[in-house]
Amino acid sequence: MIEARFGWALSGDALRVGLSASESHAPERSGAALGRVPAVVYLWGIQAPRPGQPFGAAATEAAGRICKGKRLRVAARSAGPEGRIAGSVVAEGKETSERQDVGRALIRLGLAWQDQRRPSSAQLRSLEQEARREEVGLWQQEAPTPPWAR
């Protein structure tokens, strides 16, 4: 589990964060002297509408709202070049015991799909089915277009 400081939401499923230099294992990267190394975390198991797609801005705003002012805990599943990480992210209240899985929250709000292109979890599929039944978020549209179909 990696602790990260939230910067901003790049999209509904990508977060700009700062990792502590000790957890990044990359002391040579810029920012290490400040104790934080920039990284992008892609939320595992979900795909959000892209900016410009219907509900793209809403997904980005919701991801930012869920994470802002919270301590982020990232369970990395894979890491790529230039600080790119795919993983599950839990936003924890600094003063409270509130904990929220960001990807699950976005699916529950109808602002993301469970990623059908890669292995996903039964819980994400179940949350998506519930959002579809309740016609929340992007499920208000007759035929929402997932980002991988564009």
Side-chain angles (χ1 to χ4, degrees):
M1 196 66 79
I2 301 168
E3 190 167 318
R5 180 175 294 149
F6 178 67
W8 64 90
L10 298 168
S11 67
D13 54 17
L15 309 173
R16 171 64 80 178
V17 301
L19 303 176
S20 71
S22 63
E23 290 177 340
S24 71
H25 304 294
E28 70 280 359
R29 290 181 33 207
S30 65
L34 303 174
R36 291 280 165 187
V37 176
V40 176
V41 177
Y42 295 92
L43 298 175
W44 178 87
I46 76 163
Q47 285 283 307
R50 296 285 159 252
Q53 277 188 290
F55 292 91
T60 302
E61 290 167 14
R65 194 171 50 251
I66 292 165
C67 296
K68 186 176 182 181
K70 307 271 177 55
R71 180 176 39 243
L72 302 182
R73 300 218 183 262
V74 180
R77 292 181 177 258
S78 65
E82 312 209 357
R84 293 183 183 153
I85 298 167
S88 299
V89 176
V90 173
E92 297 180 342
K94 291 182 179 177
E95 306 297 324
T96 67
S97 60
E98 177 191 0
R99 295 170 46 93
Q100 190 169 28
D101 181 287
V102 181
R104 290 180 193 157
L106 290 167
I107 288 181
R108 197 176 299 114
L109 292 168
L111 296 174
W113 287 262
Q114 60 93 15
D115 192 347
Q116 296 175 7
R117 301 167 310 145
R118 296 182 180 87
S120 189
S121 75
Q123 185 173 33
L124 292 176
R125 285 189 295 279
S126 175
L127 289 169
E128 182 182 308
Q129 290 304 316
E130 186 176 322
R132 284 175 183 248
R133 277 192 307 276
E134 294 176 4
E135 296 182 356
V136 295
L138 59 90
W139 303 113
Q140 296 169 36
Q141 302 171 88
E142 190 165 316
T145 304
W148 63 83
R150 294 193 125 218

